[in-house]
């Protein structure tokens, strides 16, 4: 855990503020790579994850951007309404489930606040790249002013880009990185599925659609307790109700905070973090969304 000071709060788009965070003891902050995010502890039961969107080479400051969500779970409203410059907050170590991998060429696609994890990738990319960035209106697009000055960036303030046309004019091997609203991600997934020679990397802020759920049991190996997980509750909810604390944040399988080791059983992976190979190993899960494909799971809890 790191104690940081909010040294600057800047409005970077309509409904979006950027926070600069510096170490409270003036020491260098932990290193991070483009695509990383941090858990921000805003209060009891109020931990949220935000992508780092500053310069990875600057160990003195971290930067995050937060869009206000009136109908969210309260984290963004707390940031906008309660945080002030010079406040001290606790944040976790950077974690990266969306790393920039080597490629001969990159196609970056962003929608709205989805620009935050992609922004640091633009300076880190060592191969030719293009960014296509969509938003509802220009004033609502974070960092649009600085990005618009780069000829490799195309903004779409009132519409969508033509995915098929974009993909068709990029050669095989181009890596596609995309972050944005769920509708955009689904469209990009479908377009790239028709072009398997364009590797796709997604960052989700909300969970992917879930399938049908069945009840099952979880055994907590450290205590030997067995709990029943009904069809309408998550493992996380059941375990927490039994008095076993698990650190969690998004509760949607997108941040990785609640990752838990699996000792036995077959997992129905519903997160957006693990690769197919990692899912096949069945040695870890995210209890906020993952379930069991069999009658029982044994967890390292």
């Amino acid at each position: 855990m790191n104690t940081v000071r909010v040294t600057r709060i800047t409005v970077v788009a309509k409904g979006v503020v950027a926070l600069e965070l510096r170490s409270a003891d003036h020491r260098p902050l932990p290193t991070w790579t483009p695509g990383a995010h941090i858990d921000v502890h805003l209060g009891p039961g109020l931990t949220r994850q935000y992508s780092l969107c500053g310069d990875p080479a600057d160990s003195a400051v971290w930067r995050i951007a937060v869009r206000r969500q009136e109908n969210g779970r309260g984290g963004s409203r707390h940031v906008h309404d309660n945080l002030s410059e010079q406040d001290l907050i606790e944040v976790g170590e950077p974690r990266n489930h969306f790393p920039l991998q080597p490629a001969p060429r990159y196609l970056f696609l962003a929608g709205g606040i989805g620009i935050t994890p992609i922004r640091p990738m633009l300076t880190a990319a060592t191969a030719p790249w293009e960014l296509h960035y969509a938003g509802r209106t220009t004033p609502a697009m974070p960092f649009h002013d600085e990005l618009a000055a780069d000829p490799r960036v195309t903004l779409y303030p009132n519409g969508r880009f033509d995915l098929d046309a974009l993909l068709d004019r990029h050669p095989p091997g181009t890596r596609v990185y995309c972050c944005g609203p769920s509708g955009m991600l689904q469209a990009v997934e479908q377009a790239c599925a028709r072009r398997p020679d364009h590797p796709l990397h997604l960052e989700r802020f909300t969970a992917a659609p879930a399938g049908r759920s069945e009840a099952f049991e979880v055994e907590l190996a450290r205590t030997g307790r067995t709990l029943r997980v009904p069809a309408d509750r998550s493992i996380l909810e059941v375990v927490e109700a039994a008095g076993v604390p698990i650190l969690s944040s998004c509760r949607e399988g997108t941040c990785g905070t609640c990752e838990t080791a699996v000792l036995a059983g077959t997992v129905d992976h519903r997160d957006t973090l693990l690769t197919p190979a990692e899912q096949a190993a069945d040695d870890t899960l995210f209890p906020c969304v993952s379930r069991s494909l069999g009658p029982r799971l044994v967890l390292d809890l």
Side-chain angles (χ1 to χ4, degrees), residues 269 273-282:
H269 295 281
L273 301 169
L274 299 179
T275 65
E278 290 169 336
Q279 291 183 349
D282 267 348

Side-chain angles (χ1 to χ4, degrees), residues 3 17 28 34-35 43 79 81 84 121 163 176-177 224 229 242 245 254 272 277 292:
T3 302
V17 294
V79 170
D81 296 342
S84 301
M121 295 181 180
L163 287 172
V176 181
Y177 279 80
V229 181
T254 62
T272 63
S292 179

Side-chain angles (χ1 to χ4, degrees), residues 241-288:
V244 180
I246 300 180
L247 185 64
S248 65
S249 177
C250 72
R251 306 180 84 90
E252 293 184 331
T254 62
C255 75
T257 303
C258 66
E259 186 170 5
T260 302
V262 178
L263 304 180
T266 304
V267 181
D268 178 4
H269 295 281
R270 300 187 178 186
D271 63 273
T272 63
L273 301 169
L274 299 179
T275 65
E278 290 169 336
Q279 291 183 349
D282 267 348
D283 56 4
T284 190
L285 59 67
F286 300 94
C288 61

Side-chain angles (χ1 to χ4, degrees), residues 80-163:
H80 280 251
D81 296 342
N82 299 107
L83 281 189
S84 301
E85 293 182 355
Q86 303 308 314
D87 281 354
L88 294 175
I89 55 176
E90 298 292 319
V91 300
E93 296 289 315
R95 296 198 306 277
N96 198 340
H97 298 288
F98 190 48
L100 184 66
Q101 298 184 15
R105 189 174 185 87
Y106 296 99
L107 174 59
F108 297 110
L109 306 173
I113 197 65
I115 190 62
T116 52
I118 287 178
R119 184 170 176 255
M121 295 181 180
L122 304 181
T123 54
T126 57
W129 59 265
E130 291 180 11
L131 167 64
H132 296 263
Y133 176 21
R136 294 179 181 175
T137 63
T138 299
M141 299 170 69
F143 313 117
H144 66 85
D145 49 350
E146 64 181 66
L147 293 170
D150 193 314
R152 295 168 293 182
V153 176
T154 304
L155 303 183
Y156 302 78
N158 295 301
R160 303 175 180 177
F161 29 72
D162 187 333
L163 287 172

